[in-house]
Amino acid sequence: MGMSVTISAASADDAEHILKLQYLCFQSEAELYGDYSIEPLTQPLDDLKAEIARGHALVARLGNEVVASVRGEVDETGTARIGKLIVHPRLRGHGLGGRLLDAIEQHFARDAEAAAKRFRLFTGNRSEGNLRLYRRKGYETVSTRQVGPSVTVVTLEKAA
């Protein structure tokens, strides 16, 4: 490839690119669970723009192409809720997801207005790659919840 991936804050102008990438990335999750009605595949563009405006989002670019993203926000208890960590399928397995996770954690840990006390995220119980990454980054399971006939959501957390 010859180009390096750069990580920066996302803006409203990135929303459409993020949404397209999100749709691509969550196809494998939908297939894994046999459910193509999951929220990442049905989220409207305006909802994504509102998430970006309300919290913080990062994008990773290879040249001008958005190839990965993550977003989240800190709630009133000091919990940074991190979500929708996505990496283009052709770039998975090269550490980009871990780099993005580190970057958003660093942002929330040093945010002067709302420094996080803990980080929380979730994934499906069958999403072994996600679970491996999160556990490798120090996250521990704090709860599981059945949300459908074939889906159990695993919530993981770690101190900031």
Side-chain angles (χ1 to χ4, degrees):
M1 273 184 210
M3 287 188 274
S4 62
V5 173
T6 58
I7 296 174
S8 61
S11 70
D13 292 340
D14 294 316
E16 194 171 333
H17 299 286
I18 294 169
L19 192 62
K20 287 177 181 175
L21 181 63
Q22 176 177 302
Y23 186 82
L24 173 67
C25 291
F26 275 92
Q27 292 296 314
S28 57
E29 292 292 299
E31 183 177 351
L32 184 61
Y33 295 98
D35 184 356
Y36 287 85
S37 67
I38 58 176
E39 189 269 345
L41 297 182
T42 61
Q43 183 177 28
L45 181 58
D46 288 342
D47 286 2
L48 173 57
K49 287 179 179 179
E51 279 184 37
I52 292 171
R54 189 174 57 243
H56 186 69
L58 297 173
V59 291
R61 288 184 173 83
L62 183 60
N64 292 325
E65 180 187 5
V66 173
V67 294
S69 182
V70 65
R71 55 193 183 262
E73 59 188 284
V74 178
D75 68 17
E76 64 282 349
T77 69
T79 301
R81 297 174 184 278
I82 299 170
K84 299 199 180 83
L85 175 60
I86 54 176
V87 176
H88 194 289
R90 77 175 189 269
L91 295 175
R92 290 180 184 159
H94 297 285
L96 188 51
R99 284 179 55 200
L100 271 174
L101 188 56
D102 290 344
I104 201 156
E105 287 174 0
Q106 289 168 9
H107 168 81
F108 286 132
R110 68 174 184 260
D111 186 346
E113 293 177 26
K117 297 175 183 163
R118 75 195 63 76
F119 304 112
R120 181 177 297 155
L121 44 75
F122 66 89
T123 192
N125 66 311
R126 295 184 197 163
S127 302
E128 288 301 323
N130 297 347
L131 289 166
R132 268 193 311 277
L133 169 64
Y134 302 149
R135 289 182 177 133
R136 192 170 60 244
K137 292 293 184 177
Y139 286 82
E140 296 180 1
T141 300
V142 294
S143 69
T144 57
R145 179 174 50 97
Q146 188 81 29
V147 296
S150 63
V151 181
T152 299
V153 171
V154 180
T155 301
L156 302 102
E157 201 172 274
K158 76 175 185 179

PDB file of all heavy atoms in Angstrom, residues 28 82 100 121 146 151:
ATOM      1  N   SER A  28     -20.948  -9.035   8.672  1.00  0.00           N
ATOM      2  CA  SER A  28     -20.464 -10.294   9.240  1.00  0.00           C
ATOM      3  C   SER A  28     -21.111 -10.568  10.600  1.00  0.00           C
ATOM      4  O   SER A  28     -21.387 -11.719  10.937  1.00  0.00           O
ATOM      5  CB  SER A  28     -18.936 -10.284   9.364  1.00  0.00           C
ATOM      6  OG  SER A  28     -18.500  -9.191  10.148  1.00  0.00           O
ATOM      7  N   ILE A  82     -18.246   3.311  24.945  1.00  0.00           N
ATOM      8  CA  ILE A  82     -17.572   3.226  23.651  1.00  0.00           C
ATOM      9  C   ILE A  82     -18.354   2.271  22.758  1.00  0.00           C
ATOM     10  O   ILE A  82     -18.770   1.202  23.202  1.00  0.00           O
ATOM     11  CB  ILE A  82     -16.122   2.747  23.837  1.00  0.00           C
ATOM     12  CG1 ILE A  82     -15.364   3.751  24.704  1.00  0.00           C
ATOM     13  CG2 ILE A  82     -15.437   2.541  22.486  1.00  0.00           C
ATOM     14  CD1 ILE A  82     -14.004   3.273  25.162  1.00  0.00           C
ATOM     15  N   LEU A 100      -7.377   2.340  17.555  1.00  0.00           N
ATOM     16  CA  LEU A 100      -8.543   3.222  17.713  1.00  0.00           C
ATOM     17  C   LEU A 100      -9.085   3.165  19.133  1.00  0.00           C
ATOM     18  O   LEU A 100      -9.447   4.194  19.700  1.00  0.00           O
ATOM     19  CB  LEU A 100      -9.651   2.823  16.729  1.00  0.00           C
ATOM     20  CG  LEU A 100      -9.607   3.464  15.363  1.00  0.00           C
ATOM     21  CD1 LEU A 100     -10.672   2.851  14.467  1.00  0.00           C
ATOM     22  CD2 LEU A 100      -9.771   4.962  15.427  1.00  0.00           C
ATOM     23  N   LEU A 121     -18.054  -1.049  27.130  1.00  0.00           N
ATOM     24  CA  LEU A 121     -18.454  -1.376  25.762  1.00  0.00           C
ATOM     25  C   LEU A 121     -19.167  -2.712  25.779  1.00  0.00           C
ATOM     26  O   LEU A 121     -19.230  -3.385  26.801  1.00  0.00           O
ATOM     27  CB  LEU A 121     -17.241  -1.381  24.826  1.00  0.00           C
ATOM     28  CG  LEU A 121     -15.951  -2.051  25.271  1.00  0.00           C
ATOM     29  CD1 LEU A 121     -16.048  -3.546  25.217  1.00  0.00           C
ATOM     30  CD2 LEU A 121     -14.805  -1.568  24.406  1.00  0.00           C
ATOM     31  N   GLN A 146     -29.570 -11.523  27.493  1.00  0.00           N
ATOM     32  CA  GLN A 146     -30.210 -12.099  26.308  1.00  0.00           C
ATOM     33  C   GLN A 146     -31.086 -11.025  25.679  1.00  0.00           C
ATOM     34  O   GLN A 146     -31.956 -10.460  26.342  1.00  0.00           O
ATOM     35  CB  GLN A 146     -31.056 -13.305  26.718  1.00  0.00           C
ATOM     36  CG  GLN A 146     -31.620 -14.108  25.574  1.00  0.00           C
ATOM     37  CD  GLN A 146     -30.613 -15.087  24.996  1.00  0.00           C
ATOM     38  OE1 GLN A 146     -29.737 -15.563  25.695  1.00  0.00           O
ATOM     39  NE2 GLN A 146     -30.744 -15.373  23.721  1.00  0.00           N
ATOM     40  N   VAL A 151     -29.135 -13.949  20.322  1.00  0.00           N
ATOM     41  CA  VAL A 151     -28.160 -12.932  20.665  1.00  0.00           C
ATOM     42  C   VAL A 151     -28.092 -12.713  22.170  1.00  0.00           C
ATOM     43  O   VAL A 151     -29.090 -12.399  22.821  1.00  0.00           O
ATOM     44  CB  VAL A 151     -28.475 -11.579  19.975  1.00  0.00           C
ATOM     45  CG1 VAL A 151     -27.431 -10.540  20.339  1.00  0.00           C
ATOM     46  CG2 VAL A 151     -28.558 -11.740  18.471  1.00  0.00           C
TER      47      VAL A 151
END
